[in-house]
Amino acid sequence: MLNLDAVRASPVAREPFTYFACNATLHPADLAAIGRDFPGIVGTGIHPLQELQYGPAFARLIDDLRSPEFEHIMSEKLAVDLEGRPLMITVRGHCHRKDGRIHTDSKDKVATILLYLNESWQAGANGSRGCLRLLRSGTDLEDKLLEIPPLGGTLVAFRRSERSWHGHHPFEGPRRYVMCNWLVSDAAHVRHNGLHILSSKIKRLDPRTWF
């Protein structure tokens, strides 16, 4: 499903951290099929795959993201060896108004990839709300390197560092993506995945935690 040639051809920035974006990662027909087979997520939060049910088109996308070829491309573009590192894949369906605060990701993460799966995003209505911004600092959301609307098929990837600041203006509503995180160790994978599983279970049991 993934247009790996488009990903390979995307230019990479190296300062103040390593990142790139590609807005032609999925064919529109595949995006529509993935949308129909997207997990039935109710409420906010990030959910691990094992806590979700989804259809065959979404499963094919996950297979592509887990493939050795995709991992090799990410290793080359981000200039970091990802082979053998544990991969954690999580999914979001809705955004909370408190999401998007500026951060750099935890030190347990080596590289992060976000693949957006929203079939439309009305910039005129939403403006910059919900659009990911890669930033020059951890103090100013307006000091942006790049702004990425979460349109379906848009992929953004970066190598985690002490300077890999990112965030977005508050937005509440549907905002679908799959996130891939390569982690520093199996222990880190167990820890982070366990936290996501616990959070996912709590949100299903108590709807008051959704918003």
Side-chain angles (χ1 to χ4, degrees):
M1 278 190 165
L2 295 175
N3 183 348
L4 298 182
D5 288 337
V7 176
R8 287 190 187 95
S10 300
V12 179
R14 302 293 180 189
E15 293 295 337
F17 58 94
T18 301
Y19 66 89
F20 75 93
C22 175
N23 61 6
T25 311
L26 292 170
H27 188 278
D30 288 330
L31 177 62
I34 291 166
R36 291 190 293 270
D37 287 351
F38 191 83
I41 296 174
V42 178
T44 62
I46 297 172
H47 301 265
L49 281 176
Q50 59 265 49
E51 294 297 306
L52 301 173
Q53 295 183 349
Y54 44 84
F58 189 86
R60 285 175 54 207
L61 173 64
I62 297 301
D63 287 343
D64 278 5
L65 292 170
R66 284 175 165 159
S67 70
E69 184 177 9
F70 184 69
E71 180 181 81
H72 179 70
I73 293 170
M74 291 300 105
S75 292
E76 287 193 334
K77 295 192 74 67
L78 298 178
V80 59
D81 186 4
L82 300 175
E83 184 178 357
R85 294 190 181 275
L87 173 62
M88 180 176 66
I89 300 180
T90 51
V91 186
R92 182 186 287 278
H94 301 268
C95 193
H96 191 287
R97 60 184 175 275
K98 294 182 179 178
D99 294 329
R101 294 188 178 100
I102 299 174
H103 63 289
T104 61
D105 285 356
S106 77
K107 293 181 179 180
D108 286 338
K109 296 178 180 180
V110 177
T112 294
I113 292 171
L114 294 165
L115 176 58
Y116 292 105
L117 300 173
N118 307 289
E119 292 191 50
S120 64
W121 191 265
Q122 298 298 322
N126 293 328
S128 290
R129 294 184 300 123
C131 295
L132 181 69
R133 290 184 173 185
L134 304 183
L135 304 167
R136 294 183 177 86
S137 75
T139 59
D140 186 0
L141 195 56
E142 299 307 315
D143 192 13
K144 58 188 176 181
L145 297 160
L146 182 67
E147 182 173 271
I148 304 118
L151 290 167
T154 298
L155 179 147
V156 57
F158 58 88
R159 181 174 175 177
R160 193 270 168 194
S161 78
E162 295 300 321
R163 302 178 68 184
S164 56
W165 300 104
H166 57 284
H168 60 76
H169 282 295
F171 172 78
E172 187 171 328
R175 188 173 179 268
R176 293 179 169 186
Y177 64 72
V178 175
M179 180 164 61
C180 298
N181 294 114
W182 281 271
L183 302 173
V184 297
S185 67
D186 290 332
H189 184 271
V190 170
R191 182 167 59 253
H192 282 271
N193 204 50
L195 289 172
H196 286 309
I197 290 172
L198 178 61
S199 175
S200 181
K201 290 182 183 296
I202 290 172
K203 283 180 168 59
R204 291 204 305 272
L205 289 171
D206 186 358
R208 292 174 299 177
T209 65
W210 293 350
F211 302 104

